[in-house]
Amino acid sequence: MEHYKMNLTLKVWRQKNHQDKGQFVTYQVAGISSEMSFLEMFDVLNENLIEEGKEPIAFDHDCREGICGTCSMYINGRPHGPWQGTTTCQLHMRAFKDGDTIVVEPWRANAFPVVKDLIVDRSAFDRIIQAGGFISVNTGNAVDGNTLPIEKSRADESFAAAACIGCGACVAACKNSSAMLFVSAKVSHLALLPQGEPEKHSRVLNMITHMDKEGFGACSNTGACEAVCPKEISLDNIARLNMEYLGSSLTMDK
Amino acid sequence: MGLTGLFLISFLVVHSGINACIWANDHGEMFNKAAHFMGASVVIRILENGLFVGFIIHIVQGFILVAKNRSRRKIGYQVALGNRGSRWYSRSMGLLGTLILLFLVLHLYHFWTPSRLGGYFNIHELQPVAYENGKEIHNLYAEMLQVFQGNSPVVLIYVLGCFSLSFHLMHGFQSAFRTLGLHNQRYVVIVKTVGTLYSIIIPLALAMMPLSIYFHWVN
Ligand code: SF4
Ligand code: FES
C-alpha cells in the first residue's frame, strides 16, 4: 500500500467542562503518516500543543484495537469516521488526503453530556445494563462444549449481537438520539441463549424503562445506527427487541 | 404509530378501490353507487368514526413523538450525517405527515363536508342523481368534476399530496412491521417488497383520479 505524508487542518470541538459553552478551534498538523491511526494523529497534535504550553485535547480511548468501545469521535459528520464497521482507533490516516480539513465533534445527545472536549459521559449505558442486562443464575464452572443444546443459527445471532462494544455511535448517529440498537443488542444476545431465557421478560421491561428514563429518544427505524455501528449490529435486533417488549408487556404485571 | 399506521394503510386500499370505479367510464354511476354505499350503512358509519379516531391518534402521536425526539439533542452537529446513514424520507416523516395533513384538510373540505354536512351550516348540498331503482343519491362524481376540471392549482396540490403520501408510506409501511417486531428474514424481504409496491401503486392510483378528470381521460 502506498505510504504518504500529509498536512491537515483540524477543526476540533473544545469545551472546558460541562458548564462551558464550548467552541470549535482550528489546528494545523504537518507530516502525518498515512500509516498512523486517527488517535495517533491526535497524539501528535497533543504533543505539539503541550510543547506550545497549551492544554491538550481530551479524548476517550483505551484498547486502541477496536474492542473496548471507549473511543468516540464524530469525524466529518460520521461517528467513528468514514470507514464502514470501524472504530475511531482503527481508522487509519490513509482514509484522508493531503490538505484535507477534518471536523471532529463529540457525540451529541442530552443523555451523553460533554465532560470535556471530545469526552462524553456514557454512564447512561452502564445504568441501562444495571437495570437488567445480565443473568442472575450461577452458571458454575465452564462446561464442556455442546453440553447445552443450542441451535447453531441462534448461537451465531447471539454472538453477533454480543459483539456490541457499547460505544454509543448508534445514539450519536440517530436523529432521535435513540439507544435502541445498543439495548436491542444487549437484550438479544441474552434472550437468544438458554441462560438468558428465565429472566427475559423482566430484563427487557426493566432495560427499556430505564432507557426512557435516561432521556434517549424513541426509535423510528431510520437505520442510521446500523449504518455507522463499528460492529455492524443488525437493525433486526431492534425488531426482535420490539417483539420481546410487546410480548413481555402483555404477559408481565409491571 | 405502527398500529394506527397499519390501520390507515388498510383504509387506503378501500379508498383507492372505490376511486378506481371512475374508470368504469359510465359517467360516474358505479362510483356514485360505491360512494353511496360507503355513506349509507350503519356499520360503515361506525367504521368511519373509527377511521377518524385512527387518524387523530396517528397525527397527535406523531407530533408528540417528533417533538420529543427532537428535544433529545439540544446541541446539534456542525456536519450532518445526512444520507450516509438513512434515507431522507425516513428522517422526514414528520414533515411528510404534516404535508399530508394539510392536504387532508383540503380534501375533507372538498368532498367529505358537502357529502356529510351539506345542507347544514350553510354548506352547499351535493346534487342528487337517480339510477335504475329511482332512489336519489348524491352525485359525488359531478362534484369531483366541478372541483378538478379546469382547476390546475387544486389538481397540482392533490398530486403533491400523493407524492408526500408515497414517501411517507415508503418508510412507514415497513417501519410499522418492524415496530411490531417482525425480524424473520424471509418476511422482512416480503414486507419490504410489498411495502415498496404499495407505496408506489396506491398513491399513483389516487393521483390518477384528479389527473384523469382534469385531462378528460374519463367521461
Ligand atoms: S450497537 Fe454498535 S454503535 Fe451502538 S453501542 Fe453497540 S457497537 Fe456501538
Ligand atoms: S479504543 Fe478501544 S475500541 Fe477504540
Side-chain angles (χ1 to χ4, degrees):
Chain A
M1 198 172 291
E2 193 203 353
H3 176 178
Y4 56 97
K5 298 249 184 213
M6 63 194 106
N7 298 333
L8 299 165
T9 306
L10 291 173
K11 272 182 80 183
V12 184
W13 183 259
R14 302 298 311 258
Q15 183 174 340
K16 280 199 186 68
N17 50 43
H18 182 49
Q19 283 75 34
D20 185 25
K21 266 192 72 189
Q23 87 272 3
F24 281 100
V25 178
T26 309
Y27 300 99
Q28 308 290 338
V29 276
I32 295 297
S33 154
S34 58
E35 311 281 293
M36 277 182 184
S37 77
F38 200 78
L39 296 186
E40 280 164 346
M41 185 268 290
F42 259 76
D43 293 338
V44 171
L45 172 61
N46 274 346
E47 292 281 338
N48 295 345
L49 289 176
I50 293 168
E51 269 172 30
E52 290 167 22
K54 293 185 185 146
E55 174 97 7
I57 301 163
F59 62 90
D60 257 334
H61 62 111
D62 189 15
C63 71
R64 296 213 179 188
E65 53 184 22
I67 53 171
C68 73
T70 314
C71 54
S72 54
M73 291 186 188
Y74 190 87
I75 302 160
N76 281 346
R78 195 175 185 277
H80 295 299
W83 282 352
Q84 185 76 30
T86 309
T87 53
T88 302
C89 58
Q90 291 296 294
L91 174 68
H92 280 70
M93 292 313 293
R94 55 179 177 272
F96 302 93
K97 326 186 281 302
D98 187 32
D100 275 0
T101 298
I102 308 174
V103 183
V104 188
E105 303 172 70
W107 285 176
R108 296 283 189 201
N110 301 355
F112 288 164
V114 172
V115 177
K116 187 176 181 183
D117 297 339
L118 301 172
I119 299 182
V120 296
D121 178 359
R122 281 170 286 182
S123 54
F125 269 12
D126 299 337
R127 292 188 290 273
I128 294 177
I129 297 290
Q130 281 160 12
F134 50 81
I135 51 171
S136 351
V137 290
N138 186 353
T139 52
N141 289 333
V143 290
D144 289 341
N146 298 330
T147 312
L148 278 176
I150 304 170
E151 224 175 303
K152 173 83 169 88
S153 61
R154 275 178 92 86
D156 287 349
E157 275 180 79
S158 167
F159 192 76
C164 166
I165 50 177
C167 64
C170 41
V171 176
C174 175
K175 84 184 219 318
N176 310 324
S177 308
S178 168
M180 283 287 272
L181 194 65
F182 165 76
V183 175
S184 73
K186 296 302 174 196
V187 163
S188 290
H189 85 102
L190 293 176
L192 285 163
L193 295 182
Q195 292 90 337
E197 189 80 20
E199 289 160 301
K200 72 180 211 173
H201 294 309
S202 55
R203 175 182 309 118
V204 67
L205 292 180
N206 292 340
M207 287 178 81
I208 294 267
T209 311
H210 198 81
M211 176 185 82
D212 291 342
K213 245 192 236 159
E214 291 287 350
F216 293 102
C219 175
S220 61
N221 295 317
T222 68
C225 51
E226 185 187 40
V228 304
C229 171
K231 297 297 151 187
E232 303 184 311
I233 300 294
S234 160
L235 206 58
D236 291 338
N237 287 303
I238 295 188
R240 182 183 295 109
L241 173 68
N242 286 334
M243 181 165 268
E244 296 271 336
Y245 183 75
L246 266 179
S248 305
S249 42
L250 291 177
T251 50
M252 296 272 293
D253 286 326
K254 262 213 175 174
Chain B
M1 295 307 310
L3 275 181
T4 46
L6 287 179
F7 174 57
L8 298 178
I9 282 173
S10 65
F11 153 72
L12 280 182
V13 179
V14 181
H15 191 328
S16 49
I18 292 181
N19 279 12
C21 295
I22 64 161
W23 292 303
N25 256 340
D26 52 2
H27 302 282
E29 180 174 341
M30 187 166 164
F31 175 77
N32 277 338
K33 283 181 181 164
H36 176 72
F37 169 76
M38 291 310 282
S41 91
V42 184
V43 181
I44 302 237
R45 277 293 167 98
I46 294 172
L47 284 180
E48 185 182 28
N49 285 318
L51 183 64
F52 270 110
V53 173
F55 263 111
I56 290 168
I57 297 179
H58 192 74
I59 293 164
V60 172
Q61 214 190 0
F63 278 125
I64 294 178
L65 187 70
V66 169
K68 263 199 180 164
N69 279 345
R70 284 229 177 121
S71 71
R72 302 304 190 192
R73 179 172 292 135
K74 292 248 162 63
I75 303 166
Y77 291 109
Q78 174 97 353
V79 188
L81 179 62
N83 291 334
R84 285 177 285 175
S86 53
R87 312 275 177 140
W88 70 267
Y89 51 81
S90 297
R91 300 192 304 274
S92 316
M93 291 300 275
L95 174 70
L96 291 168
T98 310
L99 290 178
I100 298 171
L101 174 61
L102 292 177
F103 162 76
L104 187 69
V105 172
L106 183 75
H107 184 48
L108 288 179
Y109 164 76
H110 275 153
F111 299 109
W112 185 83
T113 337
S115 76
R116 292 286 187 274
L117 305 176
Y120 308 99
F121 319 109
N122 277 338
I123 297 169
H124 78 280
E125 242 178 303
L126 294 181
Q127 296 160 17
V129 63
Y131 294 110
E132 62 277 4
N133 64 5
K135 219 175 108 199
E136 282 194 348
I137 60 175
H138 282 159
N139 195 346
L140 194 60
Y141 185 73
E143 182 73 13
M144 270 188 5
L145 297 186
Q146 210 180 9
V147 170
F148 296 131
Q149 260 172 10
N151 200 345
S152 43
V154 167
V155 173
L156 190 70
I157 291 177
Y158 270 67
V159 172
L160 290 178
C162 292
F163 259 106
S164 311
L165 180 66
S166 175
F167 284 110
H168 196 74
L169 288 169
M170 201 73 90
H171 174 81
F173 193 101
Q174 50 98 17
S175 177
F177 282 93
R178 287 192 171 274
T179 302
L180 295 178
L182 185 82
H183 60 275
N184 170 314
Q185 272 321 307
R186 192 153 31 109
Y187 292 132
V188 167
V189 173
I190 295 176
V191 161
K192 278 192 175 163
T193 319
V194 173
T196 309
L197 289 176
Y198 183 96
S199 326
I200 296 171
I201 293 170
I202 297 281
L204 190 69
L206 294 173
M208 280 310 281
M209 188 158 182
L211 287 175
S212 303
I213 291 174
Y214 185 76
F215 291 111
H216 298 279
W217 292 334
V218 290
N219 50 47

mmCIF file of all heavy atoms in Angstrom, chain A residues 231-249:
data_model
loop_
_atom_site.group_PDB
_atom_site.id
_atom_site.type_symbol
_atom_site.label_atom_id
_atom_site.label_comp_id
_atom_site.label_asym_id
_atom_site.label_seq_id
_atom_site.Cartn_x
_atom_site.Cartn_y
_atom_site.Cartn_z
ATOM 1 N N LYS A 231 -19.494 -2.371 14.905
ATOM 2 C CA LYS A 231 -19.612 -3.828 14.986
ATOM 3 C C LYS A 231 -20.727 -4.343 14.084
ATOM 4 O O LYS A 231 -21.116 -5.507 14.167
ATOM 5 C CB LYS A 231 -19.839 -4.256 16.439
ATOM 6 C CG LYS A 231 -18.664 -3.901 17.339
ATOM 7 C CD LYS A 231 -17.401 -4.644 16.903
ATOM 8 C CE LYS A 231 -16.162 -3.840 17.258
ATOM 9 N NZ LYS A 231 -14.939 -4.438 16.724
ATOM 10 N N GLU A 232 -21.271 -3.458 13.285
ATOM 11 C CA GLU A 232 -22.318 -3.798 12.315
ATOM 12 C C GLU A 232 -23.466 -4.605 12.926
ATOM 13 O O GLU A 232 -23.925 -5.603 12.365
ATOM 14 C CB GLU A 232 -21.693 -4.503 11.104
ATOM 15 C CG GLU A 232 -20.626 -3.614 10.493
ATOM 16 C CD GLU A 232 -19.998 -4.167 9.221
ATOM 17 O OE1 GLU A 232 -19.605 -5.342 9.227
ATOM 18 O OE2 GLU A 232 -19.908 -3.416 8.239
ATOM 19 N N ILE A 233 -23.899 -4.158 14.090
ATOM 20 C CA ILE A 233 -25.052 -4.771 14.757
ATOM 21 C C ILE A 233 -26.275 -4.546 13.863
ATOM 22 O O ILE A 233 -26.505 -3.439 13.395
ATOM 23 C CB ILE A 233 -25.277 -4.131 16.145
ATOM 24 C CG1 ILE A 233 -24.055 -4.305 17.054
ATOM 25 C CG2 ILE A 233 -26.542 -4.679 16.807
ATOM 26 C CD1 ILE A 233 -23.725 -5.709 17.460
ATOM 27 N N SER A 234 -27.044 -5.613 13.651
ATOM 28 C CA SER A 234 -28.149 -5.525 12.692
ATOM 29 C C SER A 234 -29.401 -4.876 13.292
ATOM 30 O O SER A 234 -29.728 -5.054 14.463
ATOM 31 C CB SER A 234 -28.489 -6.933 12.215
ATOM 32 O OG SER A 234 -29.774 -6.961 11.673
ATOM 33 N N LEU A 235 -30.096 -4.148 12.433
ATOM 34 C CA LEU A 235 -31.358 -3.498 12.802
ATOM 35 C C LEU A 235 -32.405 -4.550 13.209
ATOM 36 O O LEU A 235 -33.347 -4.244 13.929
ATOM 37 C CB LEU A 235 -31.867 -2.706 11.592
ATOM 38 C CG LEU A 235 -32.763 -1.498 11.811
ATOM 39 C CD1 LEU A 235 -32.084 -0.476 12.688
ATOM 40 C CD2 LEU A 235 -33.139 -0.865 10.475
ATOM 41 N N ASP A 236 -32.211 -5.780 12.726
ATOM 42 C CA ASP A 236 -33.159 -6.838 13.090
ATOM 43 C C ASP A 236 -33.246 -7.027 14.599
ATOM 44 O O ASP A 236 -34.263 -7.462 15.123
ATOM 45 C CB ASP A 236 -32.743 -8.175 12.459
ATOM 46 C CG ASP A 236 -32.920 -8.139 10.952
ATOM 47 O OD1 ASP A 236 -33.702 -7.309 10.476
ATOM 48 O OD2 ASP A 236 -32.265 -8.937 10.270
ATOM 49 N N ASN A 237 -32.136 -6.706 15.289
ATOM 50 C CA ASN A 237 -32.172 -6.825 16.746
ATOM 51 C C ASN A 237 -33.225 -5.906 17.347
ATOM 52 O O ASN A 237 -33.837 -6.229 18.353
ATOM 53 C CB ASN A 237 -30.794 -6.504 17.338
ATOM 54 C CG ASN A 237 -29.804 -7.616 17.064
ATOM 55 O OD1 ASN A 237 -30.031 -8.755 17.435
ATOM 56 N ND2 ASN A 237 -28.721 -7.290 16.373
ATOM 57 N N ILE A 238 -33.405 -4.730 16.713
ATOM 58 C CA ILE A 238 -34.405 -3.788 17.238
ATOM 59 C C ILE A 238 -35.800 -4.380 17.078
ATOM 60 O O ILE A 238 -36.631 -4.296 17.984
ATOM 61 C CB ILE A 238 -34.301 -2.416 16.531
ATOM 62 C CG1 ILE A 238 -32.951 -1.784 16.855
ATOM 63 C CG2 ILE A 238 -35.439 -1.501 16.961
ATOM 64 C CD1 ILE A 238 -32.785 -0.355 16.397
ATOM 65 N N ALA A 239 -36.045 -5.005 15.919
ATOM 66 C CA ALA A 239 -37.357 -5.631 15.719
ATOM 67 C C ALA A 239 -37.559 -6.753 16.736
ATOM 68 O O ALA A 239 -38.643 -6.910 17.290
ATOM 69 C CB ALA A 239 -37.468 -6.157 14.301
ATOM 70 N N ARG A 240 -36.482 -7.510 17.007
ATOM 71 C CA ARG A 240 -36.601 -8.585 17.990
ATOM 72 C C ARG A 240 -36.902 -7.989 19.366
ATOM 73 O O ARG A 240 -37.752 -8.486 20.111
ATOM 74 C CB ARG A 240 -35.322 -9.418 18.054
ATOM 75 C CG ARG A 240 -35.436 -10.586 19.038
ATOM 76 C CD ARG A 240 -34.173 -11.398 19.182
ATOM 77 N NE ARG A 240 -33.816 -12.091 17.959
ATOM 78 C CZ ARG A 240 -32.785 -11.773 17.197
ATOM 79 N NH1 ARG A 240 -31.999 -10.769 17.556
ATOM 80 N NH2 ARG A 240 -32.513 -12.429 16.102
ATOM 81 N N LEU A 241 -36.207 -6.883 19.674
ATOM 82 C CA LEU A 241 -36.447 -6.212 20.957
ATOM 83 C C LEU A 241 -37.903 -5.767 21.057
ATOM 84 O O LEU A 241 -38.556 -5.946 22.091
ATOM 85 C CB LEU A 241 -35.520 -5.000 21.076
ATOM 86 C CG LEU A 241 -35.743 -4.087 22.274
ATOM 87 C CD1 LEU A 241 -35.378 -4.780 23.569
ATOM 88 C CD2 LEU A 241 -34.924 -2.807 22.146
ATOM 89 N N ASN A 242 -38.429 -5.203 19.967
ATOM 90 C CA ASN A 242 -39.824 -4.765 19.964
ATOM 91 C C ASN A 242 -40.754 -5.928 20.244
ATOM 92 O O ASN A 242 -41.723 -5.804 20.992
ATOM 93 C CB ASN A 242 -40.189 -4.144 18.612
ATOM 94 C CG ASN A 242 -39.588 -2.767 18.450
ATOM 95 O OD1 ASN A 242 -39.333 -2.077 19.432
ATOM 96 N ND2 ASN A 242 -39.345 -2.362 17.214
ATOM 97 N N MET A 243 -40.441 -7.073 19.632
ATOM 98 C CA MET A 243 -41.296 -8.239 19.840
ATOM 99 C C MET A 243 -41.209 -8.720 21.279
ATOM 100 O O MET A 243 -42.216 -8.985 21.923
ATOM 101 C CB MET A 243 -40.886 -9.352 18.882
ATOM 102 C CG MET A 243 -41.735 -10.573 19.022
ATOM 103 S SD MET A 243 -41.523 -11.664 17.630
ATOM 104 C CE MET A 243 -42.805 -11.100 16.552
ATOM 105 N N GLU A 244 -39.985 -8.780 21.794
ATOM 106 C CA GLU A 244 -39.792 -9.200 23.182
ATOM 107 C C GLU A 244 -40.537 -8.259 24.117
ATOM 108 O O GLU A 244 -41.168 -8.680 25.080
ATOM 109 C CB GLU A 244 -38.293 -9.144 23.550
ATOM 110 C CG GLU A 244 -37.411 -10.081 22.772
ATOM 111 C CD GLU A 244 -37.302 -11.438 23.446
ATOM 112 O OE1 GLU A 244 -37.505 -11.502 24.663
ATOM 113 O OE2 GLU A 244 -37.049 -12.436 22.733
ATOM 114 N N TYR A 245 -40.464 -6.973 23.791
ATOM 115 C CA TYR A 245 -41.080 -5.973 24.657
ATOM 116 C C TYR A 245 -42.600 -6.102 24.624
ATOM 117 O O TYR A 245 -43.253 -6.107 25.664
ATOM 118 C CB TYR A 245 -40.661 -4.566 24.225
ATOM 119 C CG TYR A 245 -41.210 -3.489 25.128
ATOM 120 C CD1 TYR A 245 -40.657 -3.281 26.391
ATOM 121 C CD2 TYR A 245 -42.279 -2.701 24.737
ATOM 122 C CE1 TYR A 245 -41.172 -2.319 27.243
ATOM 123 C CE2 TYR A 245 -42.792 -1.725 25.581
ATOM 124 C CZ TYR A 245 -42.228 -1.542 26.833
ATOM 125 O OH TYR A 245 -42.746 -0.586 27.674
ATOM 126 N N LEU A 246 -43.132 -6.236 23.420
ATOM 127 C CA LEU A 246 -44.591 -6.383 23.272
ATOM 128 C C LEU A 246 -45.075 -7.604 24.047
ATOM 129 O O LEU A 246 -46.000 -7.519 24.865
ATOM 130 C CB LEU A 246 -44.953 -6.571 21.800
ATOM 131 C CG LEU A 246 -45.326 -5.334 21.001
ATOM 132 C CD1 LEU A 246 -45.628 -5.719 19.567
ATOM 133 C CD2 LEU A 246 -46.534 -4.657 21.640
ATOM 134 N N GLY A 247 -44.402 -8.735 23.807
ATOM 135 C CA GLY A 247 -44.779 -9.981 24.463
ATOM 136 C C GLY A 247 -44.690 -9.850 25.972
ATOM 137 O O GLY A 247 -45.600 -10.246 26.710
ATOM 138 N N SER A 248 -43.595 -9.243 26.450
ATOM 139 C CA SER A 248 -43.395 -9.141 27.892
ATOM 140 C C SER A 248 -44.385 -8.185 28.528
ATOM 141 O O SER A 248 -44.886 -8.429 29.619
ATOM 142 C CB SER A 248 -41.970 -8.665 28.196
ATOM 143 O OG SER A 248 -41.059 -9.502 27.570
ATOM 144 N N SER A 249 -44.685 -7.077 27.846
ATOM 145 C CA SER A 249 -45.601 -6.139 28.488
ATOM 146 C C SER A 249 -47.021 -6.694 28.500
ATOM 147 O O SER A 249 -47.830 -6.303 29.335
ATOM 148 C CB SER A 249 -45.545 -4.748 27.847
ATOM 149 O OG SER A 249 -45.495 -4.864 26.462
#
